[in-house]
């Protein structure tokens, strides 16, 4: 079961990491919930070692908070997190979309993502696919990596927002307007629509979510 240097095979480690991440993003592990290594290991039929490593990785991506007193917990979504994530998204995503349109990027993946709307969990993943497909063709690898690094925290914020007051029907209409404008080659107009879309969602969450001291 172990490779060289005593580490667990990548497939086992990745399985545990993705399982815990999906449980958080799907809402099975709730914000603020304690993440007990032994319980997670038992539910996933693994030892505590890959669970411990997965929690460290998730803490690095912002989905988990590690405390010397409380241990690991699912990160609580509050106004501070919303502001931090959306400050960066508002700066970079519209610009990246404008550049992608100017470069003649293919938005077929964004169009396909609009049809994945079976349930909240699928919607959340489809929302991530849609937004990434808008900026993936911008031509700047560093910009893409920065935005990719926000994916997990943005998905956590999105799930929290939909849980407070479902808005996906309005957002679907906004997504379609953004995409149609981009496909028609109007980069600045598409960027403006995307900027408005992001700001509206962020402003609503910042008002509705409590300021939780972590």
């Amino acid at each position: 079961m172990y490779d060289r240097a005593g580490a667990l095979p990548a497939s086992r480690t990745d399985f545990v990491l993705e399982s815990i991440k999906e449980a958080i993003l799907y809402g099975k592990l709730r914000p603020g919930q304690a993440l007990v290594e032994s319980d997670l290991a038992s539910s996933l039929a693994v030892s505590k070692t890959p669970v411990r490593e997965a929690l460290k990785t998730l803490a690095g991506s912002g989905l988990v908070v590690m405390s010397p007193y409380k241990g690991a917990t699912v990160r609580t979504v509050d106004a501070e997190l919303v502001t931090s994530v959306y400050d960066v998204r508002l700066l970079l995503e519209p610009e990246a979309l404008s550049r992608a349109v100017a470069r003649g990027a293919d938005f077929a993946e964004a169009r396909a993502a609009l049809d994945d709307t079976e349930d909240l969990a699928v919607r959340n993943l489809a929302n991530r696919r849609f937004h990434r497909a808008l900026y993936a063709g911008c031509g700047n690898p560093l910009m893409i990596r920065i935005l990719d690094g926000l994916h997990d925290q943005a998905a956590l914020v999105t799930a929290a927002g939909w849980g407070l007051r479902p808005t996906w029907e309005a957002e679907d209409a906004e997504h379609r307007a953004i995409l149609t404008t981009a496909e028609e080659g109007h980069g600045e107009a598409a960027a403006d629509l995307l900027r408005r879309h992001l700001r509206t969602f962020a402003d609503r969450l910042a008002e509705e979510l409590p300021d939780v001291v972590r």
Side-chain angles (χ1 to χ4, degrees):
M1 294 301 292
Y2 291 85
D3 61 11
R4 62 182 180 278
L8 282 166
S11 58
R12 175 66 63 85
T13 304
D14 291 344
F15 163 73
V16 173
L17 176 62
E18 291 304 316
S19 296
I20 298 174
K21 179 190 292 187
E22 288 184 5
I24 293 172
L25 296 180
Y26 285 11
K28 296 177 182 177
L29 295 172
R30 304 298 300 168
Q33 181 174 339
L35 299 171
V36 181
E37 291 181 7
S38 58
D39 291 345
L40 292 171
S42 178
S43 67
L44 295 171
V46 297
S47 70
K48 291 195 293 184
T49 299
V51 172
R52 187 176 301 115
E53 293 304 312
L55 293 179
K56 290 179 182 177
T57 300
L58 292 171
S61 68
L63 290 184
V64 168
V65 175
M66 306 290 284
S67 167
Y69 305 105
K70 296 181 180 180
T73 58
V74 179
R75 183 166 189 175
T76 298
V77 178
D78 58 14
E80 180 184 351
L81 176 60
V82 174
T83 299
S84 297
V85 169
Y86 275 81
D87 271 354
V88 179
R89 294 188 70 184
L90 281 163
L91 284 171
L92 294 185
E93 277 197 44
E95 175 64 22
L97 172 57
S98 178
R99 294 186 183 192
V101 173
R103 290 169 56 85
D106 182 0
F107 295 106
E109 175 64 18
R111 180 66 63 182
L114 293 178
D115 296 327
D116 289 341
T117 56
E118 298 174 18
D119 55 38
L120 180 59
V122 174
R123 284 178 187 275
N124 200 350
L125 294 179
N127 183 67
R128 296 173 71 186
R129 284 176 52 209
F130 174 80
H131 280 275
R132 190 182 194 283
L134 293 182
Y135 66 73
C138 71
N140 186 322
L142 178 58
M143 187 178 290
I144 293 170
R145 286 199 299 273
I146 292 171
L147 288 168
D148 282 351
L150 290 175
H151 260 185
D152 289 342
Q153 293 182 67
L156 189 64
V157 169
T158 299
W162 287 346
L164 286 171
R165 175 156 52 93
T167 60
W168 52 76
E169 289 185 2
E171 290 183 25
D172 181 65
E174 293 172 5
H175 283 171
R176 293 180 187 278
I178 293 165
L179 179 57
T180 297
T181 304
E183 289 176 329
E184 291 174 349
H186 305 303
E188 290 303 317
D192 286 342
L193 289 174
L194 176 57
R195 189 175 295 107
R196 189 182 311 161
H197 166 70
L198 293 172
R199 183 174 289 115
T200 297
F201 189 79
D203 287 348
R204 179 176 68 80
L205 263 65
E207 291 176 359
E208 295 187 11
L209 288 170
D211 289 314
V212 179
V213 178
R214 295 188 300 278

